[in-house]
Amino acid sequence: HQPLPDCPYYYPVVLAFPIPTGPPRPGFATMDEEDGTACTTPLLEDPEVEAESQQPPRMGLLPPSMSNLDSITRKEEAAAFQSHFTLRIPTSTVHFRGNILRIIDTEQEQIILQQKIPTDDDGGMDSKKAKVVVKRLSPGTYGYRMLRVGYALIAILFMGFLFVVCFQILLFLFAALPVEAGYSSSQSSVSGLAIVSTLLSIPLMIYGMSSLMSLCSAFVVDAFHGGALFRSTIVEVMYMMVFLVIPMTTFAVALMAGHAESWRLTSGVWGILVLILFCVWGLAVTYREVYSCFWLVEKHYFQGCDVQLLTSPSSGANLSWREKMRHLMKIAKKALLLTQTSRYAGIWRERYQVTASSDAGLLNMDPVEQRKSIYSWISRISVFTDKLKFFKVLEVPKRVYGPSEVRDIIPFVTRDNWSMQRLWCAGDTRLHSVVVARGPSRLTLDQIKLSSWVSLASTLLATLLAFGGLVWSGGGVTVSIIVAVLAVFCCIWPLIGNNRRMLDMYEGVRSDTNQSDDDERGANTIYQVWKTVRVTEPTEYYCYFRVAVEIIFLFLWPFVSMCVANNTPVAIIFVFLASFTFLWRYFDSMVVLSLLGTIEDVGDETTTHEDKYRLSEVVGRVINNKGRRIWTWIFAIFFLLILFMFTSAEDLSTDVITPDERAATRPPILMLDDFEYPGSGGLQYPTCTLSQPGFTFPTSGETESRGTYFLDYAFLSAMAYESSAITNYTLDTWFGPNVMKDEVDFVGKWREDSGTFLSPVQFKLFSLTNHPGFAVVSIRGSETMWDWIQNLQLWSAAGLSQMVKWIIPYGWIFNPILPDFIQAVNLIESKKISEVSYYKVTTRFVNEVTAGYSNEYGGGNFGNLKVTGASLGGGLAIITGAQTSAYTVAISGPGATLSRRVYDPPITTDALNTQVFNFIPERDYIARLGGRADLFQNAQCLAPKNDLFGCHSMWRSVCELNYKCGSNGRPVFCRCVESFGYPEPTALGNRTFAQACQDASTAWFEMFPQK
């Protein structure tokens, strides 16, 4: 800013809103750079106004005379205030008590500029002593603030659930591949064409979903501000109706009607209304973005055209709709070329740390950093410029403006508004602030040094936290050292250099003895800025070529592949995301503005303040929302994780691993029958013995005559992982000789007859030899990568929804509709994907066996089946048991309460609450996924606190039950002491525990030698 010449009045003003940059115009109030004081031209220059000012001012609440009103009006015109478009609404003028009041409304408070002209000794107005008093007040009440917070919380919850939907889309996109491969048929590999088609759909999917999430984050901010972006009476009413009136009315009516699930009905209506509001808001933002792009292009690139449909609608009044469409297509073509040119241009960036004086302009303009992208060098190669004609080298680099320059905003840091906490949380914004180095409002040397230390300390603290987290989680010394070295060279050392240069510049400005700190007009500031220029631009031919490639290979090919594969739900979502992605990508108003300058400069007399404000908000909060980059990284990481899991499990023929094939790699099961655990000295678990009918084993010829040890179920769930040779030995050791039998041949024959032999799910059937008709189905947990994909397929929606509910305050208000939401999310899943779920195989097995299935290996009389399993096996056991009415005991199994309506057939809460029992150790996060039913046992866990998943251990649960409940005649396990830290059991013989375990190990490897 250059100072106004001969400006005699300086009024102390502290403004809580951005001040327009650029040279001040005569008669405009401007902000002086060094100390924030306002300099304004005299208000009483008109002789008529001067004469009228001699009249004594009227005091009190009575209105002034008409002559005074006329005087006030002319004073107002002389002041000529201008509202910057960063203000949500333009300033308002109020005549009150003979004074002019300027009302400036920000998002949270109100600023009042009151112009006062005191009287002289003769009773006239003394213009030389005129002053402007600035007042600040918060017009809102606590109730008003709480209402806005409520709006924002509901919108944040909606954003969290939207993220769940996006993750499920990525998951089901890849889950469709094994279905095409013949998940349970003889085909053993996935089609390469299907993989390519899926990978080609990923760029549009990730870009579209990240754009959707960044749009939703802007919606959250707008909801907190009460719909400020499109503020009008209708919008105010709409937000009140959606967020408050309709939900509360629904709740009240449901209560009066005696509805059994009043809050479920209310929260469902609430969620649907917010979804509709977000869709309408997103469409409005998209329309504003595309319209602004077209308007800018027409105004600045079609000036010589007789027809101006957007900038001058009356010029096209006599045109037919075809002529109008032809004109709009020309605008779209130009906008497309501009955006593609910007996207594929080669750019150079230079960073300057600048000292600027209000009198001397810019100094020290040598760049401190230059970045010349590899792409810019490639685009200058003669092959691409001369032969292929892809690019053209610009003789004079073309200046490109950034978002902050386009929006014409920059923060100032003075001695009075400097805050260490604000700097700590400022992020990149502190790098673009103007620091006052000389003048009454200059920062002190201690503040400059502390600013440098704050930025350095935040980086060091983040590095220290990352290092500490790696050490705590057992990441290893090597990984920790690598992270520390990267942090030093990539973050800390460059930051030290940047701070050093800033400090040198400050000291250089301070060393200028020609300027005085008392001179209010001799301010110096320090700031840094990035200058971006284009050195190459793509040719028109290349721009159209890239558009064709993107449409054909990134849209049409994946879409056709999805339709051919009958993956209809994902295909519909893909078209929706692609459509909006193309609109935002090809008609970007920010690209046009980056070539033209600031939003203030591109407007005309027909451009309203609201139009500029909305364009500024769309450019700043939506188009250039940093959240889009963050969401892109999040979805890219999820994509790489799912891709890794898929590629690791791609070869079905080798990934369907049976327990016999896994036997050689599993640790030995060392059991000692001459030691015992008498039971914990404290209170035992009340479920150590299961006595409720339905959960017990038959004994001594009397069906369910006594309770059954919980430990027996835990042991059988572990046996699902072992080969038949091992289970024959362990069952005889645990239960006694010939008490329990592994029906491996019977199960194998059933899988062959049912065509499920290649399905990766593995389970065993253990029968009691002395009690025909009784058996236990034990389902194996996660062993292969396909098993982990199944975990995600069955419980990711429920787990992510629970995380959203736990993280966001008051997330519990949507508890009643979580099952409905998860059911809606799983509509994305195609029918083919759901048909290959693991539980379909286990449920079919239980139903057919209890119905009388038999083969040459037995069967036909297994009418009393129990189901058990651990981890994934426990979750599948819960689903299977609830679907088949078979009593189930799960160990650390994910629940099915939230997802009960997703399964086929659906599960009732009554079945889950009466026939399913789950053992859940503390800090077992996986077992808490999906929601708990009524029957469960919380248990202690001795795993170290830094072992995040140590409590989700099948064998640790077996040892916990063995130790707490007592061995009760069963053997004890060596691994309980050696691997899990339990006390040594009591010896019943003369051997020491160490010697007994050594003897058991020797005997084990003699029976089962390692290959």
Side-chain angles (χ1 to χ4, degrees):
H1 289 183
Q2 300 298 326
L4 286 175
D6 302 323
C7 180
Y9 304 121
Y10 287 85
Y11 307 124
V13 178
V14 180
L15 297 179
F17 60 96
I19 298 300
T21 59
R25 301 171 179 84
F28 284 15
T30 62
M31 181 68 70
D32 196 78
E33 286 180 324
E34 67 270 25
D35 62 352
T37 56
C39 172
T40 182
T41 55
L43 298 179
L44 302 179
E45 294 179 345
D46 185 9
E48 296 181 5
V49 176
E50 191 73 41
E52 292 177 0
S53 67
Q54 304 302 319
Q55 301 296 326
R58 296 182 59 89
M59 307 301 291
L61 297 177
L62 294 177
S65 65
M66 294 302 295
S67 60
N68 282 342
L69 278 175
D70 185 65
S71 172
I72 290 174
T73 302
R74 275 177 283 182
K75 294 173 192 175
E76 172 189 341
E77 292 173 354
F81 276 76
Q82 181 180 7
S83 300
H84 195 254
F85 54 80
T86 48
L87 292 174
R88 181 178 58 83
I89 55 177
T91 59
S92 304
T93 303
V94 177
H95 302 154
F96 183 67
R97 293 182 178 178
N99 297 313
I100 300 175
L101 304 183
R102 289 284 177 173
I103 312 299
I104 304 170
D105 284 294
T106 65
E107 300 293 351
Q108 301 297 330
E109 55 192 10
Q110 191 176 84
I111 306 295
I112 301 177
L113 279 67
Q114 181 178 359
Q115 177 181 326
K116 289 187 175 181
I117 304 178
T119 58
D120 55 19
D121 295 337
D122 298 331
M125 292 186 178
D126 189 356
S127 60
K128 295 183 178 180
K129 296 182 180 180
K131 60 182 178 179
V132 174
V133 178
V134 181
K135 303 177 182 179
R136 180 185 68 87
L137 67 151
S138 299
T141 62
Y142 285 109
Y144 169 78
R145 295 189 183 96
M146 290 302 298
L147 182 65
R148 291 294 179 83
V149 170
Y151 285 8
L153 285 177
I154 297 299
I156 292 173
L157 277 169
F158 173 79
M159 184 173 69
F161 292 136
L162 183 63
F163 168 73
V164 176
V165 175
C166 292
F167 179 83
Q168 294 301 108
I169 293 171
L170 280 179
L171 177 64
F172 293 141
L173 184 65
F174 277 93
L177 292 178
V179 178
E180 298 173 15
Y183 199 91
S184 58
S185 65
S186 58
Q187 188 175 345
S188 61
S189 63
V190 177
S191 168
L193 184 62
I195 296 178
V196 172
S197 302
T198 301
L199 294 177
L200 287 176
S201 67
I202 291 301
L204 273 179
M205 280 288 196
I206 291 182
Y207 186 89
M209 289 188 295
S210 59
S211 299
L212 192 64
M213 292 304 300
S214 63
L215 188 68
C216 194
S217 64
F219 173 70
V220 171
V221 176
D222 193 62
F224 178 73
H225 294 147
L229 185 58
F230 301 101
R231 176 63 60 84
S232 67
T233 304
I234 295 177
V235 172
E236 287 265 11
V237 172
M238 185 184 302
Y239 271 68
M240 284 287 292
M241 297 295 289
V242 167
F243 285 103
L244 186 65
V245 176
I246 296 179
M248 294 301 99
T249 303
T250 302
F251 186 55
V253 172
L255 288 176
M256 290 185 290
H259 196 280
E261 296 181 293
S262 302
W263 189 245
R264 178 192 171 195
L265 178 63
T266 302
S267 53
V269 170
W270 212 343
I272 293 174
L273 289 174
V274 174
L275 172 61
I276 295 173
L277 179 63
F278 172 70
C279 292
V280 173
W281 187 87
L283 289 173
V285 171
T286 303
Y287 169 78
R288 173 60 57 180
E289 156 65 3
V290 176
Y291 177 84
S292 300
C293 179
F294 278 38
W295 187 90
L296 291 169
V297 170
E298 183 185 60
K299 177 176 176 57
H300 294 277
Y301 294 95
F302 290 82
Q303 292 180 350
C305 184
D306 294 334
V307 179
Q308 299 284 327
L309 287 179
L310 303 179
T311 56
S312 179
S314 59
S315 64
N318 298 324
L319 296 180
S320 64
W321 69 270
R322 290 186 178 180
E323 292 173 322
K324 292 180 180 180
M325 289 301 300
R326 190 178 301 113
H327 179 72
L328 291 177
M329 289 301 295
K330 291 180 181 179
I331 297 176
K333 177 182 176 181
K334 184 62 179 179
L336 178 65
L337 286 175
L338 288 174
T339 53
Q340 290 294 89
T341 301
S342 174
R343 184 162 290 111
Y344 300 117
I347 61 173
W348 290 354
R349 303 188 69 202
E350 295 176 340
R351 182 168 64 91
Y352 296 86
Q353 284 184 322
V354 183
T355 60
S357 170
S358 60
D359 296 322
L362 300 180
L363 306 174
N364 302 338
M365 286 297 290
D366 295 329
V368 297
E369 181 182 355
Q370 292 182 328
R371 294 182 182 179
K372 299 181 179 180
S373 64
I374 298 177
Y375 179 82
S376 66
W377 288 108
I378 294 176
S379 61
R380 294 166 63 92
I381 298 176
S382 60
V383 175
F384 299 112
T385 57
D386 300 333
K387 295 182 179 180
L388 297 177
K389 303 296 183 181
F390 283 173
F391 300 93
K392 57 183 178 182
V393 180
L394 301 179
E395 295 181 1
V396 179
K398 185 181 294 185
R399 180 76 162 88
V400 179
Y401 299 96
S404 60
E405 295 171 301
V406 166
R407 299 184 71 200
D408 194 17
I409 54 175
I410 186 169
F412 286 79
V413 181
T414 67
R415 178 177 57 192
D416 297 323
N417 69 10
W418 180 91
S419 170
M420 185 175 67
Q421 290 86 353
R422 186 183 299 173
L423 285 175
W424 187 279
C425 304
D428 292 340
T429 354
R430 65 168 178 261
L431 302 178
H432 306 285
S433 301
V434 176
V435 178
V436 180
R438 183 175 286 281
S441 296
R442 69 192 181 280
L443 265 69
T444 65
L445 182 60
D446 289 338
Q447 287 176 323
I448 290 290
K449 290 180 178 180
L450 193 54
S451 299
S452 302
W453 279 111
V454 163
S455 59
L456 184 60
S458 61
T459 305
L460 288 173
L461 181 60
T463 304
L464 185 62
L465 287 174
F467 187 80
L470 287 172
V471 174
W472 181 80
S473 60
V477 178
T478 304
V479 176
S480 301
I481 293 176
I482 292 175
V483 170
V485 171
L486 289 175
V488 169
F489 283 98
C490 298
C491 300
I492 298 175
W493 186 254
L495 190 60
I496 291 175
N498 182 52
N499 290 338
R500 181 69 258 176
R501 286 188 291 269
M502 182 68 74
L503 186 60
D504 291 342
M505 291 175 63
Y506 177 84
E507 292 176 345
V509 172
R510 298 295 303 157
S511 64
D512 185 1
T513 58
N514 294 325
Q515 296 185 10
S516 170
D517 287 331
D518 296 329
D519 182 7
E520 295 177 327
R521 303 170 66 88
N524 285 98
T525 58
I526 301 174
Y527 61 95
Q528 68 175 2
V529 63
W530 282 96
K531 178 183 177 182
T532 304
V533 295
R534 290 183 188 173
V535 293
T536 62
E537 286 184 346
T539 60
E540 184 175 333
Y541 149 74
Y542 183 69
C543 291
Y544 288 130
F545 171 73
R546 289 299 298 260
V547 171
V549 169
E550 290 172 2
I551 293 177
I552 293 173
F553 290 98
L554 300 183
F555 174 67
L556 292 178
W557 186 348
F559 175 69
V560 172
S561 299
M562 294 175 192
C563 294
V564 171
N566 289 326
N567 196 358
T568 306
V570 175
I572 295 174
I573 294 174
F574 178 73
V575 171
F576 170 79
L577 291 176
S579 300
F580 277 89
T581 297
F582 287 143
L583 287 175
W584 287 88
R585 183 176 175 83
Y586 293 145
F587 306 117
D588 190 344
S589 59
M590 177 60 207
V591 170
V592 184
L593 287 170
S594 68
L595 300 174
L596 301 177
T598 68
I599 295 175
E600 186 69 39
D601 296 333
V602 299
D604 56 21
E605 63 278 359
T606 64
T607 309
T608 65
H609 179 91
E610 289 76 11
D611 292 334
K612 295 179 181 179
Y613 168 76
R614 289 168 182 168
L615 179 58
S616 174
E617 292 296 292
V618 169
V619 168
R621 292 188 180 180
V622 181
I623 300 176
N624 291 281
N625 191 340
K626 293 181 180 179
R628 175 181 294 173
R629 185 179 303 174
I630 297 173
W631 286 113
T632 299
W633 277 105
I634 292 174
F635 288 124
I637 291 173
F638 277 123
F639 156 68
L640 293 175
L641 174 64
I642 297 173
L643 180 63
F644 168 75
M645 296 173 65
F646 172 77
T647 53
S648 300
E650 186 269 335
D651 192 351
L652 298 179
S653 61
T654 59
D655 200 68
V656 182
I657 299 177
T658 64
D660 289 335
E661 296 168 329
R662 185 72 77 180
T665 62
R666 297 194 61 79
I669 303 173
L670 308 181
M671 297 185 288
L672 309 177
D673 56 6
D674 55 344
F675 288 82
E676 70 170 1
Y677 279 120
S680 174
L683 291 175
Q684 295 184 354
Y685 296 124
T687 55
C688 286
T689 301
L690 299 176
S691 57
Q692 181 177 342
F695 291 99
T696 57
F697 290 179
T699 57
S700 303
E702 300 177 6
T703 302
E704 303 177 353
S705 61
R706 68 166 182 79
T708 298
Y709 298 126
F710 200 154
L711 182 59
D712 290 341
Y713 277 106
F715 174 77
L716 290 176
S717 69
M719 290 303 100
Y721 293 78
E722 308 299 335
S723 67
S724 57
I726 291 177
T727 56
N728 289 335
Y729 163 74
T730 55
L731 290 174
D732 287 347
T733 306
W734 185 262
F735 291 102
N738 300 321
V739 174
M740 187 80 70
K741 178 185 177 182
D742 183 358
E743 301 282 355
V744 60
D745 295 326
F746 175 80
V747 174
K749 181 60 177 175
W750 178 86
R751 300 194 66 158
E752 182 180 342
D753 294 342
S754 62
T756 60
F757 188 80
L758 283 179
S759 175
V761 63
Q762 297 293 317
F763 55 91
K764 288 181 173 292
L765 182 67
F766 300 116
S767 63
L768 282 175
T769 56
N770 294 330
H771 299 275
F774 179 87
V776 178
V777 178
S778 180
I779 307 173
R780 191 186 73 182
S782 303
E783 278 276 275
T784 67
M785 200 57 70
W786 278 130
D787 298 336
W788 285 105
I789 292 177
Q790 187 68 195
N791 280 317
L792 290 176
Q793 180 187 348
L794 291 176
W795 289 286
S796 60
L800 290 173
S801 300
Q802 288 175 290
M803 289 179 61
V804 170
K805 182 191 70 173
W806 292 333
I807 292 173
I808 299 176
Y810 301 100
W812 52 265
I813 65 174
F814 282 133
N815 269 353
I817 63 167
L818 282 184
D820 303 281
F821 169 74
I822 295 169
Q823 182 182 13
V825 169
N826 278 269
L827 294 176
I828 304 171
E829 184 181 48
S830 67
K831 186 176 181 180
K832 284 188 175 182
I833 298 176
S834 63
E835 287 176 352
V836 297
S837 295
Y838 280 12
Y839 75 87
K840 292 291 185 72
V841 178
T842 55
T843 297
R844 179 181 175 184
F845 175 76
V846 172
N847 282 331
E848 292 186 3
V849 169
T850 54
Y853 170 82
S854 61
N855 54 49
E856 60 266 32
Y857 299 105
N861 58 350
F862 288 118
N864 187 5
L865 288 184
K866 315 297 181 187
V867 187
T868 190
S871 187
L872 168 64
L876 295 174
I878 291 173
I879 299 171
T880 298
Q883 286 183 328
T884 62
S885 299
Y887 284 88
T888 300
V889 175
I891 307 297
S892 295
T897 303
L898 297 179
S899 305
R900 61 184 183 273
R901 296 175 184 161
V902 174
Y903 308 119
D904 183 23
I907 298 173
T908 64
T909 54
D910 183 66
L912 289 171
N913 292 333
T914 58
Q915 297 177 237
V916 173
F917 192 92
N918 199 5
F919 183 82
I920 305 177
E922 63 178 345
R923 291 184 285 117
D924 186 352
Y925 311 110
I926 296 177
R928 284 165 171 77
L929 298 178
R932 295 180 296 190
D934 288 351
L935 302 180
F936 63 92
Q937 175 63 65
N938 286 327
Q940 293 181 342
C941 176
L942 301 182
K945 297 293 177 64
N946 62 345
D947 189 353
L948 295 179
F949 299 101
C951 294
H952 187 73
S953 168
M954 169 187 62
W955 279 107
R956 186 184 291 277
S957 297
V958 171
C959 292
E960 174 68 16
L961 288 169
N962 202 347
Y963 172 71
K964 275 291 181 67
C965 298
S967 51
N968 295 307
R970 306 297 193 203
V972 297
F973 299 94
C974 292
R975 69 174 63 185
C976 295
V977 178
E978 297 171 350
S979 301
F980 302 125
Y982 285 91
E984 291 188 1
T986 304
L988 300 179
N990 297 324
R991 293 190 302 173
T992 64
F993 183 76
Q995 182 60 48
C997 289
Q998 181 62 42
D999 295 342
S1001 177
T1002 302
W1004 176 274
F1005 288 110
E1006 289 178 355
M1007 291 185 293
F1008 311 107
Q1010 294 283 355
K1011 297 181 181 179

